[in-house]
Amino acid sequence: MSMEQNKTGTFFTTAGFLLILGLAVISWFNQKLMEREFSKVSTGTESVEKKLPPSLVLSTVVLGPMRGLIANSLWWRISEQQDEGNYFEILQLSDWITKLQPTNARVWTFQAWNMAYNIAYEFPDGESKWKWIYSAYRLLAFDGLKYNPKNYEIKKEIARIFFDRIGSTVDPGSNLFKKKWAYLIMKYIPDGTREEIEILAKAPKNKQEFLSDPLASELIQLSKKEGLNLFDPDIFYNYNKWTEQQKKVIINNKRFNDSLRKLDIFLKASGLRNELALDPKRMLYIDREYGPFDWRLYQAYTVYWAAKSSFRDFLDAPSTEQPLIRQALTASFLDGKLITEPGSNIFITTNNFKIIGKLHDYYDYMMENHYSPRIDGLHKAFLEQAAAILYTFNQIEAAKEVFDHYKEGYTDEDLDFETYITSSLYKTLHNTTLPTQQAMV
């Protein structure tokens, strides 16, 4: 064997030894990390890990430090696919990253955005678009927040889905999206009122609390004997499929009237939480602080997910947190009231005049405490639009109140109501967006 061949053999032997040594070090380090992670799970010091299903435990614990490297490579792949417009490929890659890094809020918001915007736009029909938009909502509300329950970026992305996609003014399917959401909600709050939500907010939190009422417990036990599980909404609400014996024992027994009403309330409150990820108590809080809203429409849910605090604290929040909520309040004024009839094709949105007071409160506070030329312009435009719309709907006294409000800050004593209304009507019809113009019809 030549000296050169001997050197080559020595080199590969040394390289092989170093490779084996490196792998051994990595294996030892990974083993220690795994032991530490499993220790966290077993001792309860890592609350998020407890929520992980076995498939995610495998990726987050067993892979150890390797999961970060894998996730980074997947992000690079997503970037490449984004440039090429391969949105369905991106969907699969994003799903893999959520399994590698379930507490990374960015991947959840990115995946939902890809579904609600890019993939939804790939389909020409509204029904298919809606499926992707609604799936994006459920992904964030049920999965993203499950692993990141306090993450505001996820909640804000949900608010954007409601405002920009369900409340879209440019997508041809926007009216269908509004209908789809409204019909989902109307299973639980048919009229979308605060009064309905107040009732649901007082419902028992769980079955045990419901059964603490002796008569309610008797109702459930008797229904079981008759072969009915009244905690199943499909059974409870489809009583037309019950046997005559079942109806006689349960529905026709006046002793159970109050318990049946309470069960109806309990099932509706539970349905909001379990089927739509909505808490009736928070809905009531938001309506009292920012409303009143028609809770069958998207504006209420934009605020539900975007609001971080009370209305008073919101007024002093950073300017970056305000636009989405302000826009939702304005949109509610323009078309935040629903007129519909069950079983018909009637679905009309019109003005929510009750929200004007909250918009006045917002602009008055901002003008006094956080003045800027932009706020000044928005305030002036709002007053002109509000006066024009109120006058169009024969709300003359309310329009005069807006006019008086306008005179206090923007003009002299000589401007009369008729001149102001004429000017406001012209500006609203010629210099505003389509939704504002439609609000006058």
Side-chain angles (χ1 to χ4, degrees):
M1 180 181 296
S2 67
M3 184 177 294
E4 185 176 343
Q5 289 176 324
N6 188 48
K7 287 182 178 179
T8 302
T10 303
F11 170 77
F12 282 114
T13 300
T14 303
F17 172 76
L18 292 175
L19 177 60
I20 293 172
L21 179 62
L23 289 174
V25 171
I26 292 175
S27 177
W28 177 86
F29 177 77
N30 197 42
Q31 178 66 26
K32 291 300 180 182
L33 183 62
M34 287 170 57
E35 291 174 358
R36 187 178 67 186
E37 294 296 326
F38 278 123
S39 176
K40 286 182 181 180
V41 175
S42 63
T43 58
T45 58
E46 186 59 64
S47 59
V48 173
E49 300 286 1
K50 285 185 174 182
K51 300 179 181 179
L52 301 180
S55 61
L56 293 192
V57 172
L58 175 65
S59 63
T60 57
V61 178
V62 175
L63 290 179
M66 296 299 293
R67 64 179 177 175
L69 296 175
I70 297 172
N72 287 339
S73 67
L74 291 174
W75 276 115
W76 277 107
R77 179 65 176 164
I78 284 176
S79 180
E80 293 174 352
Q81 297 301 310
Q82 187 78 20
D83 293 338
E84 298 176 10
N86 296 329
Y87 304 124
F88 288 95
E89 175 76 11
I90 291 172
L91 181 67
Q92 182 61 69
L93 294 170
S94 300
D95 182 62
W96 289 342
I97 298 178
T98 61
K99 289 179 170 56
L100 290 167
Q101 298 179 325
T103 57
N104 182 350
R106 180 188 168 212
V107 69
W108 293 105
T109 57
F110 177 86
Q111 186 177 11
W113 170 80
N114 184 51
M115 294 165 67
Y117 292 83
N118 294 330
I119 295 180
Y121 275 120
E122 291 290 303
F123 294 89
D125 63 294
E127 288 286 349
S128 297
K129 289 176 184 286
W130 167 251
K131 289 178 182 178
W132 285 102
I133 293 169
Y134 184 53
S135 294
Y137 166 71
R138 293 187 65 84
L139 177 78
L140 293 177
F142 285 99
D143 297 331
L145 288 178
K146 178 180 180 181
Y147 302 118
N148 307 272
K150 296 181 180 180
N151 187 275
Y152 179 65
E153 288 307 311
I154 292 179
K155 295 177 182 178
K156 191 173 182 181
E157 189 63 29
I158 297 175
R160 288 195 189 99
I161 288 174
F162 274 101
F163 192 78
D164 293 338
R165 298 301 286 122
I166 297 177
S168 171
T169 59
V170 295
D171 195 304
S174 60
N175 200 47
L176 175 66
F177 305 157
K178 295 181 181 72
K179 284 183 180 180
K180 288 287 189 179
W181 179 257
Y183 293 155
L184 285 173
I185 287 295
M186 287 166 63
K187 291 169 58 178
Y188 311 106
I189 41 176
D191 299 321
T193 64
R194 180 182 297 180
E195 290 72 23
E196 289 173 310
I197 298 172
E198 284 178 336
I199 293 172
L200 298 187
K202 297 175 183 177
K205 297 178 182 178
N206 49 50
K207 293 179 182 179
Q208 290 71 27
E209 186 175 334
F210 176 80
L211 293 171
S212 63
D213 179 348
L215 199 56
S217 179
E218 182 183 342
L219 168 66
I220 297 301
Q221 292 301 320
L222 183 59
S223 66
K224 285 182 179 180
K225 291 180 181 179
E226 294 296 327
L228 295 172
N229 175 15
L230 294 188
F231 283 126
D232 184 343
D234 290 334
I235 293 175
F236 180 78
Y237 291 110
N238 289 313
Y239 50 84
N240 58 317
K241 296 182 180 180
W242 295 10
T243 66
E244 292 302 318
Q245 172 65 17
Q246 290 169 337
K247 292 178 182 178
K248 178 181 178 181
V249 172
I250 298 173
I251 296 179
N252 297 338
N253 190 335
K254 294 182 179 181
R255 291 179 61 248
F256 293 137
N257 284 354
D258 188 55
S259 296
L260 287 169
R261 183 184 63 82
K262 290 179 179 178
L263 182 56
D264 171 53
I265 294 170
F266 170 72
L267 291 176
K268 287 177 178 176
S270 299
L272 282 174
R273 286 191 293 266
N274 300 331
E275 299 299 323
L276 297 176
L278 297 169
D279 179 4
K281 290 185 177 180
R282 176 165 173 79
M283 294 169 72
L284 180 60
Y285 172 78
I286 291 297
D287 199 71
R288 287 172 173 169
E289 288 290 319
Y290 293 86
F293 295 108
D294 185 329
W295 283 86
R296 297 168 294 181
L297 296 175
Y298 71 94
Q299 299 95 341
Y301 300 95
T302 302
V303 180
Y304 176 96
W305 291 105
K308 297 174 71 174
S309 58
S310 66
F311 182 76
R312 175 61 185 80
D313 290 339
F314 157 73
L315 295 173
D316 289 319
S319 58
T320 54
E321 296 180 8
Q322 291 194 354
L324 194 56
I325 293 178
R326 183 188 68 239
Q327 291 165 3
L329 294 176
T330 303
S332 180
F333 166 57
L334 297 176
D335 71 339
K337 180 181 178 182
L338 177 62
I339 299 173
T340 186
E341 288 290 337
S344 73
N345 292 323
I346 298 174
F347 189 93
I348 302 169
T349 55
T350 186
N351 315 89
N352 175 15
F353 292 135
K354 294 179 180 180
I355 204 84
I356 289 181
K358 193 62 67 175
L359 283 162
H360 274 314
D361 293 343
Y362 171 78
Y363 281 115
D364 288 349
Y365 187 88
M366 296 302 290
M367 289 290 290
E368 183 176 348
N369 297 279
H370 302 286
Y371 177 85
S372 71
R374 174 169 174 74
I375 287 294
D376 184 76
L378 290 170
H379 182 217
K380 186 176 181 181
F382 162 69
L383 292 174
E384 291 173 343
Q385 292 167 15
I389 292 170
L390 288 166
Y391 185 85
T392 301
F393 281 86
N394 203 33
Q395 303 286 320
I396 307 301
E397 292 304 316
K400 287 182 178 180
E401 290 180 11
V402 172
F403 169 63
D404 292 338
H405 206 93
Y406 181 90
K407 285 184 67 175
E408 291 176 5
Y410 292 105
T411 189
D412 55 41
E413 299 274 338
D414 296 332
L415 181 67
D416 61 83
F417 177 68
E418 286 73 18
T419 302
Y420 174 69
I421 287 296
T422 302
S423 174
S424 296
L425 286 169
Y426 180 86
K427 290 179 180 179
T428 302
L429 286 172
H430 291 84
N431 302 323
T432 58
T433 61
L434 180 61
T436 306
Q437 294 169 355
Q438 290 175 332
M440 296 182 62
V441 179

